[in-house]
Amino acid sequence: MKNRLKLLRAEKGWTQQQLGDALGVSRQAVNALETEKHDPSLDLAYRIAALFAQPVEAIFDNPHA
């Protein structure tokens, strides 16, 4: 799923490890999301949105729209 996660992380100056720690996931999980190899669970998508104070739709593109 297309997303803006890498851009948002870079704007904060965070490493993948720092973002992973904030979300309770591994650095590898963050990398898989950023490279669009894996889609986030609904729970994780909402945690990411809350962390960046943005709606889920502003971070992740809806592939069914």
Side-chain angles (χ1 to χ4, degrees):
M1 172 182 314
K2 296 242 180 240
N3 65 72
R4 298 181 47 237
L5 191 55
K6 186 174 183 176
L7 174 66
L8 292 170
R9 177 179 60 78
E11 287 175 356
K12 295 281 189 183
W14 294 341
T15 64
Q16 287 182 340
Q17 184 66 55
Q18 289 170 316
L19 178 56
D21 290 346
L23 295 170
V25 300
S26 68
R27 180 201 60 78
Q28 292 87 348
V30 171
N31 181 268
L33 292 170
E34 287 185 353
T35 58
E36 301 169 9
K37 291 181 180 166
H38 292 285
D39 293 337
S41 66
L42 187 56
D43 176 65
L44 181 56
Y46 277 107
R47 284 189 283 145
I48 291 167
L51 182 65
F52 289 105
Q54 295 192 19
V56 171
E57 297 84 4
I59 301 172
F60 299 95
D61 288 345
N62 181 350
H64 305 291

